[in-house]
């Protein structure tokens, strides 16, 4: 009996070790380090919010920084703020990512890019049944097609760069690009699309030593988020209650930590890390330790995910039930209301 227990315990210890060895051998692409010092970092949506925080962070790490946004005035304000805090001058380019010719001109003027961060994004929260198709198209054009435009414009020079050290293309997605949420139909579609873009693009550019990162920030304390909260459907607010938000400076720091290590998926908080494990799927993974957590934790986290879905759908059912009751009461005549009150209906 003692020999059996010893053998059983040994097997339990051996299996995780064997899994770690296997994952070490098979994870692809291989680990990489992407330096920032004295390299050209180009950031879209760089005049405010996360983009501005990314520009501050890159400048503080001695990178040569260029930022692109639509408003020339906001770009100049961002440039002054970065100079004041870091002593570094950044280059600014006013262009709309939906205009391929305009951003191609900006990229040509900026020169070869070593680290491209495609960060622009717009969000109008609303149920699809209520949302105008112009708003849906606006989000898809800026968030998804704008990302294609930016990469297409920058990629030729990145492939032919003189500096042959590893380069990076980082795409700003969202936790709404990992899981769909009520009221985020069009926005989630645009951000889920970025993931497919990233997974396929990584295979296309790995031979050029260009490494794709996909960043999944949660709600972030930006001017855009403040406006979004004013327009959210009531159910969106109920489902998202208690989620909190992050400061853009912390998102920027987490993003660059991931970019410099060539991480394909970059979560920004604990919930994001759990979401990343839950949605790992067929995405590339450089870290065999992270791959181990994905393999071991997938089943448990799936149970947690189902619990979240249970809570969310319960909230939706309760909201609709209360709304239907309210509508029924509003449709009643005064005499019917009195009868309902008397009989507690």
């Amino acid at each position: 009996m003692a020999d059996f227990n010893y053998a059983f315990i040994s097997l339990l210890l051996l299996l995780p070790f064997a899994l770690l060895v296997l994952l070490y051998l098979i994870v692809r692409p291989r680990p990489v380090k992407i330096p920032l010092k004295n390299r050209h970092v180009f950031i879209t949506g760089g005049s405010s919010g996360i983009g501005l925080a990314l520009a501050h962070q890159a400048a503080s790490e001695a990178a040569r920084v260029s930022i692109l946004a639509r408003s020339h005035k906001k770009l100049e304000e961002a440039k002054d703020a970065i100079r004041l805090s870091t002593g570094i001058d950044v280059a600014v380019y006013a262009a709309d990512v939906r205009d391929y010719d305009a951003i191609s001109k900006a990229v040509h003027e900026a020169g070869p890019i070593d680290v491209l961060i495609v960060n622009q994004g717009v969000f109008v929260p609303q149920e699809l049944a209520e949302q105008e198709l112009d708003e849906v198209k606006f989000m898809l054009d800026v968030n998804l097609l704008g990302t294609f435009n930016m990469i297409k414009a920058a990629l030729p020079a990145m492939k032919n760069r003189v500096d042959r050290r590893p380069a990076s293309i980082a795409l700003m997605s969202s936790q709404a690009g990992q899981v769909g949420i009520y009221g985020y139909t069009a926005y989630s579609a645009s951000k889920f699309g970025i993931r497919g873009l990233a997974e396929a693009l990584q295979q296309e550019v790995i031979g050029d030593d260009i490494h794709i990162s996909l960043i999944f920030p949660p709600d972030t304390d930006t001017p855009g988020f403040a406006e979004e909260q004013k327009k959210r459907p009531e159910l969106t607010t109920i489902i998202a209650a208690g989620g909190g938000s992050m400061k853009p400076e912390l998102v920027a720091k987490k993003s660059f930590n991931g970019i410099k290590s060539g991480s394909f998926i970059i979560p920004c908080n604990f919930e994001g890390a759990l979401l990343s494990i839950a949605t790992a799927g067929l995405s590339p993974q450089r870290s065999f330790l992270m791959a181990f957590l994905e393999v071991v934790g997938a089943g448990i986290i799936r149970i947690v995910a189902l619990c979240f879905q249970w809570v969310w759908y319960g909230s939706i059912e309760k909201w609709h039930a209360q709304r239907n009751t309210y509508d029924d009461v509003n449709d009643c005549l005064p005499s019917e209301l009195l009868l309902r009150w008397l009989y507690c209906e």
Side-chain angles (χ1 to χ4, degrees), residues 125 127 180-184 219 225 228-244 308-323:
E127 298 95 335
I181 298 293
Y182 187 101
Y184 285 50
D219 287 340
F225 178 59
E228 174 213 321
Q229 286 186 302
K230 297 175 184 177
K231 302 174 183 177
R232 276 180 169 180
E234 184 182 352
L235 255 176
T236 305
T237 302
I238 292 170
I239 291 171
F308 272 105
Q309 294 290 341
W310 175 70
V311 171
W312 292 342
Y313 278 95
S315 297
I316 292 168
E317 289 171 7
K318 182 178 179 182
W319 186 84
H320 279 291
Q322 291 175 339
R323 183 181 177 184

Side-chain angles (χ1 to χ4, degrees), residues 98 124 131-141:
R98 294 173 294 175
V124 183
Q131 196 156 45
E132 296 295 331
L133 283 176
D134 285 347
E135 290 181 325
V136 173
K137 187 175 185 300
F138 177 53
M139 281 185 273
L140 292 172
D141 283 350

Side-chain angles (χ1 to χ4, degrees), residues 43-57 66-82 90 92-93 117-122 172 220-227 247-249 251-252:
I43 304 165
T44 70
S47 63
S48 64
I50 295 174
L52 180 57
L54 288 164
H56 275 278
Q57 183 70 31
S66 298
I67 57 176
L68 179 143
R70 286 182 295 173
S71 169
H72 185 76
K73 180 183 177 182
K74 287 185 177 180
L75 283 167
E76 289 297 330
E77 291 171 354
K79 180 178 180 177
D80 291 341
I82 295 168
V90 302
V92 298
Y93 301 93
I117 305 178
V118 188
N119 165 74
Q120 83 283 342
V122 292
M172 190 64 66
T220 305
D221 189 11
T222 65
F225 178 59
E227 286 302 310
K247 293 294 183 183
E249 294 77 16
V251 171

